[in-house]
Amino acid sequence: MTSDLMVRPVLAREIRKLNEDQQEAATHSGDLVVLAGPGSGKTRTLVARVGYLLETGTSNGRGVAAITYTNHAAREIIERLSRLGISAGDRLTAGTLHSWCLSNILRPYSILVGRKHPDQLIVLDDKSKDWVNLLEESFERAGVMAIAKYEIASFTKARRRFAVGDVGEPRDPMVDAVQIFEKEMNDRGFIDFDSMVSISLSILKEHPRVAQLVAARYPNIVVDEYQDLGPVLHGLVTLLNDSAGVRVSAFGDPDQTVMGFTGADPRYLNELMTKFHPVTLKINYRSGRAIIAASHAILGESRDHRAAEDREDHGVIESIEVNGGLRLHSEVVVQKIEELTASGVPAHEIAVLYPRKGPLLTGLLHAFSARSVGYVHERDEVLPSGPVADFIRACAARTVSGHQPSIGSESSADVVFTIGELAATYRTLRRGSGLEDIPQRGVAKSIASLVRRDSADGLPEILGWFDGLVRGLELDEVADNSSRYLDVECVENFRDCCVNNALTLADISVGELRNGKVALTTYHSAKGREWQVVILPGLVDGIMPGRFWDRKRRLFPEPPPDRLKQDRLAFYVGLTRAKSAAVLIYGDHWETDWGGRNTLGVSRFARDVLAQLSLPPGARGTRGADFPTF
């Protein structure tokens, strides 16, 4: 299959190192769906696919659009291509769906088709006051009897379905709220990430010539995490494929659809499988056999996933029964972390996962603080978000990493910007704020002088570094002139957060660097990552899967099927982050924040795994550990 590859030697060697399924996915000549289970080398295969398309299917002025779920994933694609000697330049656009739509549809064509140019609009985030106020107003006018800030996910789901023509049930007030919200966004000159995508889709539908122009620029689109990107992406991709002839390569896994509460649905990926050439990546290079077998038990269905044949470590599933509440679960977590680190497992190779905010998270934070466990709480970041804040974080990561342009292994996804990449990002920020451009070489020289690490890590030194970066690059002016809502007052807020939380450079770098501390994160945020050991506490019915209080009936009712499925898939994703060991901490009761005791039994997900482990060796998997009791 790969003997006559017409690509540069480094890429050819990389493709030959892939297994047969991966090679087929990388070099297929048409539309493609790649079903990539946990640990199956999806990113390596996707990068090989992008590289192959750049080498064989593009010419000057024509390229590949790599659409990813996060900016971090997009940067990793660029970094790995660089390791293969491929500097794609303008032939490759790698980024999130909304950023690709903004750069390649809205900015070039909005005015031409009679719409407002996006740079004339104010970009809102769903955490901004204006956005939330508008949502509350829309709910009130539509008669939605709910508190808006608690229904953002439901609103987003309805909004994305409405964008593709799914109007839901007749006289649904949530759909009415969507229509009111969209009209007011347009009338007030606002735009947000969702509307960037939905407006782009409507432009392509209403103006086929624009779709043809986009296809001429990007004859190939590669989409990562297809199952979680939702109905509007699916509408956009299928339109470009059907009407403009864009070749599509969709990578994903229906079993890892963890964003269903915002409209993601595995049926979109499954639909492509009926149209495109399917390839399944069957080998799990991450986890041992015991962990793979346990993951299949959670799904309750067989999957064609298997461990690498040359792997001697079968992996461990350790289950710990806790005869106490969630505080005791948290104490057991700390004991396990201390045991692991004492045995030589690096702290940053340990993750503790929890489903959502609540008593389990409260207990974990208390226990970590009481025992001085160093951790990174990745769902409670205090720093501002947005392009300018992300740039400051990237500069902090570069400062921490020193002269090395990147850290981590091929599988770690911890990538640090080079000085050249930082310079290019900064110039883009300046242009987006309407400021005079600065030559690349001059910017790179300035940044290189500002990210040198030659001081201690106390607060005065950190503020000195921060203030020097802001003054040297005029970041306050860049932020103040930005059209993006998230950038306004970003610099001042960033500095205040550093002071109020006594942050270090490593703290500022969270999201860029994750080394040195235990990761404390949600199941959803763990997706796409891996650790040697994953600890899963709180496996009690009502916590995982979750149950929510019914005031009228004064009980925690059985979760509805769709929510139960979401929690099951989230648990599956969390367990399959483990390379060597997964520690399941379970019990039969938990306490509410107001002291009530709920004896709802052991989590059904934990019971599924325990039942699988109790079978004779070889029946469905390998038992990984005995069951100690605390």
Side-chain angles (χ1 to χ4, degrees):
M1 179 188 301
T2 60
S3 60
D4 57 349
L5 286 173
M6 301 300 292
V7 297
R8 66 188 63 205
V10 177
L11 177 59
R13 286 196 295 271
E14 170 68 7
I15 293 175
R16 291 189 181 103
K17 291 178 183 177
L18 303 176
N19 66 45
E20 185 175 346
D21 294 327
Q22 293 172 319
Q23 288 181 7
E24 182 182 3
T27 61
H28 181 69
S29 60
D31 296 319
L32 178 72
V33 171
V34 181
L35 297 181
S40 60
K42 180 198 67 176
T43 302
R44 184 176 187 181
T45 307
L46 186 149
V47 169
R49 176 67 171 171
V50 172
Y52 182 81
L53 292 173
L54 286 170
E55 294 281 283
T56 63
T58 65
S59 58
N60 290 337
R62 308 188 77 205
V64 176
I67 295 174
T68 60
Y69 197 73
T70 64
N71 287 320
H72 191 84
R75 284 183 19 224
E76 187 180 5
I77 291 173
I78 296 171
E79 169 71 14
R80 292 197 184 196
L81 285 172
S82 178
R83 294 178 198 168
L84 297 176
I86 299 174
S87 179
D90 293 339
R91 294 184 301 140
L92 172 67
T93 294
T96 59
L97 176 60
H98 70 264
S99 66
W100 184 78
C101 288
L102 178 65
S103 299
N104 296 285
I105 300 176
L106 298 182
R107 283 192 171 127
Y109 303 115
S110 290
I111 291 180
L112 296 179
V113 299
R115 294 178 180 257
K116 295 177 182 177
H117 193 280
D119 291 346
Q120 297 173 336
L121 304 173
I122 298 174
V123 180
L124 297 185
D125 175 77
D126 63 8
K127 297 179 180 62
S128 69
K129 184 177 180 181
D130 287 338
W131 195 96
V132 174
N133 287 344
L134 180 53
L135 183 62
E136 290 174 346
E137 178 186 328
S138 301
F139 271 31
E140 183 177 355
R141 289 171 57 185
V144 177
M145 305 302 291
I147 300 174
K149 66 180 181 179
Y150 297 133
E151 296 296 330
I152 291 177
S154 299
F155 173 77
T156 299
K157 185 174 183 177
R159 189 182 180 195
R160 291 176 179 176
R161 290 185 171 177
F162 183 81
V164 295
D166 183 352
V167 297
E169 297 295 326
R171 295 186 296 277
D172 182 352
M174 186 67 80
V175 175
D176 293 339
V178 168
Q179 293 177 286
I180 293 169
F181 184 90
E182 297 290 8
K183 183 178 185 304
E184 291 300 321
M185 286 278 287
N186 181 70
D187 291 347
R188 301 181 192 189
F190 294 156
I191 193 170
D192 64 3
F193 294 157
D194 269 298
S195 55
M196 289 178 189
V197 183
S198 60
I199 293 171
S200 296
L201 176 59
S202 67
I203 288 175
L204 296 182
K205 284 182 175 179
E206 295 167 12
H207 304 278
R209 179 59 178 156
V210 174
Q212 293 170 3
L213 291 171
V214 172
R217 177 70 181 87
Y218 295 105
N220 292 284
I221 292 180
V222 179
V223 186
D224 191 16
E225 303 291 359
Y226 197 96
Q227 77 284 346
D228 271 334
L229 286 169
V232 189
L233 165 91
H234 185 64
L236 189 148
V237 165
T238 53
L239 186 150
L240 288 173
N241 180 255
D242 292 340
S243 65
V246 171
R247 183 189 303 173
V248 176
S249 302
F251 285 70
D253 180 9
D255 293 332
Q256 298 187 67
T257 307
V258 297
M259 303 302 292
F261 55 90
T262 60
D265 194 317
R267 68 187 174 95
Y268 302 121
L269 186 59
N270 292 332
E271 180 182 316
L272 290 190
M273 288 184 61
T274 65
K275 300 171 55 180
F276 298 169
H277 178 71
V279 176
T280 301
L281 305 185
K282 304 179 184 67
I283 300 177
N284 184 334
Y285 293 98
R286 175 190 300 150
S287 305
R289 293 177 178 83
I291 297 169
I292 296 172
S295 71
H296 293 173
I298 295 166
L299 293 176
E301 301 175 3
S302 62
R303 291 290 185 269
D304 196 10
H305 304 155
R306 62 180 185 274
E309 293 182 0
D310 58 350
R311 177 166 180 153
E312 297 180 358
D313 168 22
H314 289 186
V316 169
I317 297 290
E318 180 179 1
S319 61
I320 302 175
E321 182 178 4
V322 175
N323 295 318
L326 296 177
R327 286 294 180 95
L328 185 54
H329 281 244
S330 302
E331 293 174 13
V332 172
V333 169
V334 172
Q335 293 177 31
K336 178 55 63 174
I337 290 171
E338 292 172 345
E339 173 189 320
L340 290 167
T341 54
S343 69
V345 179
H348 61 267
E349 284 288 358
I350 302 170
V352 180
L353 307 187
Y354 64 95
R356 55 188 64 84
K357 288 183 179 180
L360 175 59
L361 176 59
T362 300
L364 289 168
L365 292 173
H366 181 271
F368 282 13
S369 176
R371 298 281 281 272
S372 300
V373 174
Y375 68 96
V376 175
H377 185 195
E378 297 174 4
R379 284 288 286 183
D380 193 27
E381 297 173 6
V382 295
L383 289 170
S385 58
V388 172
D390 290 345
F391 174 76
I392 294 172
R393 286 184 161 190
C395 288
R398 175 67 197 204
T399 304
V400 172
S401 70
H403 297 292
Q404 297 298 322
S406 63
I407 66 170
S409 66
E410 190 175 83
S411 61
S412 72
D414 281 333
V415 181
V416 179
F417 276 116
T418 65
I419 295 297
E421 290 169 336
L422 287 173
T425 300
Y426 174 71
R427 293 178 68 202
T428 299
L429 291 175
R430 283 187 66 90
R431 289 194 294 268
S433 297
L435 301 178
E436 181 183 359
D437 199 4
I438 300 176
Q440 175 82 3
R441 181 173 296 181
V443 175
K445 185 176 180 180
S446 297
I447 292 176
S449 67
L450 293 167
V451 298
R452 291 176 179 169
R453 183 71 180 272
D454 53 6
S455 63
D457 210 14
L459 184 59
E461 291 80 12
I462 298 307
L463 292 182
W465 174 90
F466 178 82
D467 291 340
L469 187 73
V470 171
R471 287 194 305 269
L473 298 178
E474 301 176 334
L475 288 179
D476 48 357
E477 185 177 1
V478 172
D480 290 344
N481 286 280
S482 175
S483 62
R484 301 177 180 88
Y485 183 93
L486 292 175
D487 286 340
V488 179
E489 300 182 355
C490 161
V491 172
E492 181 180 350
N493 292 339
F494 205 113
R495 194 181 196 281
D496 289 345
C497 284
C498 290
V499 173
N500 295 336
N501 297 278
L503 300 181
T504 66
L505 275 176
D507 295 327
I508 297 172
S509 300
V510 169
E512 305 295 337
L513 300 173
R514 298 185 173 100
N515 286 343
K517 297 181 180 180
V518 173
L520 174 62
T521 188
T522 62
Y523 286 88
H524 289 86
S525 293
K527 191 168 181 293
R529 301 179 59 193
E530 58 183 32
W531 295 270
Q532 287 292 341
V533 181
V534 171
I535 303 175
L536 308 170
L539 298 182
V540 187
D541 203 298
I543 299 297
M544 190 63 179
R547 296 196 187 198
F548 298 91
W549 181 250
D550 186 322
R551 292 184 179 181
K552 292 183 179 180
R553 292 186 286 171
R554 299 189 61 79
L555 52 77
F556 288 93
E558 176 74 9
D562 59 340
R563 183 172 289 165
L564 179 61
K565 181 179 180 181
Q566 281 296 298
D567 275 358
R568 183 176 293 279
L569 294 181
F571 187 72
Y572 170 80
V573 167
L575 181 74
T576 55
R577 302 308 93 192
K579 293 192 281 188
S580 299
V583 181
L584 278 56
I585 301 175
Y586 67 96
D588 65 358
H589 71 276
W590 56 283
E591 306 86 7
T592 64
D593 290 333
W594 54 89
R597 178 180 171 119
N598 293 282
T599 307
L600 299 173
V602 175
S603 164
R604 64 199 74 188
F605 307 149
R607 292 202 307 266
D608 289 341
V609 176
L610 297 178
Q612 186 274 333
L613 289 173
S614 68
L615 292 175
R620 285 181 64 184
T622 303
R623 178 170 175 164
D626 293 328
F627 305 119
T629 300
F630 283 70

